[in-house]
Amino acid sequence: MILKDKVAIVTGAGSGIGRASALIMAREGAAVVVIDRDLDGGQQTIDQIEAAGGHAESLVLDVTDDAALTNAIAAIHARYGRIDILHNHAGAQVEGNLEDVSLEGFDRSWDLNVRAHFLAARLVVPFMKAAGSGVILNTSSSSGILYDREMIAYTTTKHAVIAMTRQMAGDYAKFGIRVNALCPGWVDTPFNDPFIRQVGGRDAIEAYIKAKVPMGRWADVGEIAEPILFLVSERSSYITGQVLVCDGGETVS
């Protein structure tokens, strides 16, 4: 098990890619702290991990609540004595172009997709510096390197995640801390519901993906979990400040 004895935090781990991340890290021996604001979703992730023989605990909180996130990360370190991995995954899609997107939606996107990643990283870095090692993985998106029609809030925040990742990586490599970004493409989870509504339903999104993605299909969450494991483990020990795109070839078309 390549993450044996590691302690990992995964935000947004109550469903989709976040859950897949928590599951694969636990499978590889990490003690995983599942953070999600959805009590039931977080518990389902825990149940799956424990059923497979892994160790995890659930914390129910909104990562945009600064005080709650600060207290949670301090408590995690106090309990385990270490934090080896942070996967900042919690995020949201808010549809709309420049004129249509609500200001509330834009602000919520920024707070969740960027600021919460920033704060969580800021909170774990002192512990990682003291240990002389650590890994931070920030979830961006293929929308962080592409135009994504009428999704200005989402694309703005996901581009920002990449810039922030590179800055963190450059600043903290000397402390043994690696920071990379994951850019999933079309992954079949409820996370895509805003875009599906925007394009006109399930049939429309299936046609869109078939036309835009060279592989002609969605990814399964398991196909994203393996790249996550690569980036948070010693398999990528000489990689930092990089962006791993998992998009079925969309960015080359």
Side-chain angles (χ1 to χ4, degrees), residues 137-219:
L137 177 61
N138 297 318
T139 297
S140 177
S141 168
S142 59
S143 298
I145 56 175
L146 291 171
Y147 159 75
D148 196 347
R149 71 176 217 180
E150 298 181 352
M151 297 288 283
I152 191 168
Y154 189 65
T155 57
T156 298
T157 59
K158 292 304 185 178
H159 277 73
V161 168
I162 291 174
M164 183 171 66
T165 296
R166 288 175 170 155
Q167 186 69 32
M168 289 179 185
D171 288 343
Y172 288 95
K174 62 187 176 184
F175 299 108
I177 300 169
R178 298 188 299 107
V179 190
N180 291 295
L182 178 76
C183 287
W186 292 102
V187 186
D188 196 3
T189 74
F191 183 78
N192 294 293
D193 288 349
F195 194 82
I196 293 172
R197 287 195 302 270
Q198 189 177 64
V199 300
R202 184 75 185 192
D203 290 344
I205 195 68
E206 294 285 357
Y208 181 89
I209 290 170
K210 187 172 183 179
K212 294 289 186 180
V213 178
M215 291 183 71
R217 63 174 179 84
W218 302 85

Side-chain angles (χ1 to χ4, degrees), residues 3-24:
L3 299 180
K4 190 175 186 300
D5 299 326
K6 302 291 188 182
V7 175
I9 299 171
V10 184
T11 70
S15 63
I17 293 172
R19 175 177 288 171
S21 174
L23 288 170
I24 201 165

Side-chain angles (χ1 to χ4, degrees), residues 63-130:
V63 292
T64 64
D65 182 333
D66 290 359
L69 185 61
T70 299
N71 292 336
I73 289 178
I76 291 164
H77 187 266
R79 189 154 55 253
Y80 290 96
R82 61 191 297 164
I83 296 173
D84 301 288
I85 299 164
L86 168 66
H87 181 189
N88 278 315
H89 177 70
Q93 281 188 2
V94 176
E95 67 264 45
N97 62 22
L98 176 64
E99 298 171 283
D100 297 335
V101 68
S102 71
L103 291 177
E104 180 184 10
F106 188 92
D107 290 343
R108 173 68 177 171
S109 296
W110 184 264
D111 288 346
L112 183 56
N113 296 352
V114 183
R115 192 177 184 281
H117 287 23
F118 165 86
L119 182 57
R122 180 182 174 119
L123 292 168
V124 302
V125 154
F127 302 130
M128 292 179 174
K129 284 173 67 177

